[in-house]
Amino acid sequence: MFDSDSSSKPTKAKLPKTVMMMVEKGNIVMAITTLAADENISMDAAKSRIDAYELALKSQQQQKLNSIANKQGIPSQAFSFDREQAEDDTERLIKNKVKSTPSEQSFQTLKDGLDNQLNNLGYKKPLLPYWGKRLLIIAIVMAGLFWIMWRVFG
């Protein structure tokens, strides 16, 4: 049924596109059986090749995530594929600080990353924000109209 002598045929280093798509979507069992049937290899050999591809895919995704986070100024400790490690970090208490929820911590991390990025670009915050300027203009126009009405009808 399957060729147990792996030295008779050279094994392909790259997986077929259909098998890659199955692995990326999480259909590992279907990918193993398809690869074993297509290339006429044993299930163990197909599983080992798929595991190697899956490990390479995860490490590539982690590298992309790290590079994006570094570009945005987010520390690499803010995210993790290992959920147990992240839960242990949230349980630690810091002296003289209030314990915040994970969503507040992630927002603070995002805010710190944005502030770091703006500082790197040399952006300085305006003295009066845009909405403040708009309210000031509306107040000046209303005061001017009030003064005109007072002078005309007063």
Side-chain angles (χ1 to χ4, degrees):
M1 183 171 160
F2 289 111
D3 187 12
S4 61
D5 185 16
S6 61
S7 63
S8 64
K9 288 184 182 178
T11 59
K12 293 182 183 176
K14 190 171 182 181
L15 296 175
K17 283 197 175 235
T18 56
V19 175
M20 283 190 227
M21 288 175 30
M22 287 180 201
V23 170
E24 289 169 5
K25 292 189 180 204
N27 285 335
I28 306 296
V29 175
M30 184 64 105
I32 291 172
T33 55
T34 304
L35 183 64
D38 286 350
E39 296 189 1
N40 199 18
I41 58 175
S42 69
M43 292 280 202
D44 291 333
K47 182 184 181 310
S48 65
R49 283 185 56 196
I50 287 177
D51 287 342
Y53 173 74
E54 197 173 18
L55 183 65
L57 183 67
K58 283 185 181 181
S59 67
Q60 185 180 18
Q61 288 173 347
Q62 183 68 32
Q63 287 174 348
K64 284 181 183 179
L65 191 61
N66 285 338
S67 67
I68 291 170
N70 289 338
K71 286 179 184 176
Q72 293 180 352
I74 300 171
S76 61
Q77 294 84 14
F79 56 89
S80 173
F81 286 127
D82 186 16
R83 288 290 146 207
E84 294 173 5
Q85 179 186 3
E87 290 173 3
D88 291 341
D89 291 342
T90 58
E91 293 300 320
R92 265 190 306 149
L93 290 177
I94 301 171
K95 189 175 181 179
N96 297 332
K97 291 202 176 191
V98 177
K99 185 176 179 182
S100 60
T101 62
S103 62
E104 291 173 358
Q105 290 172 351
S106 62
F107 178 72
Q108 185 63 34
T109 304
L110 179 65
K111 186 177 174 186
D112 292 342
L114 179 62
D115 289 342
N116 288 341
Q117 188 71 22
L118 291 176
N119 288 339
N120 290 342
L121 292 174
Y123 177 78
K124 300 209 185 291
K125 289 184 179 178
L127 183 64
L128 196 59
Y130 182 74
W131 59 269
K133 290 178 189 175
R134 188 169 275 201
L135 286 177
L136 184 63
I137 290 171
I138 291 171
I140 290 172
V141 168
M142 287 179 66
L145 287 175
F146 177 74
W147 183 77
I148 291 171
M149 298 290 267
W150 182 61
R151 296 295 283 169
V152 170
F153 296 113

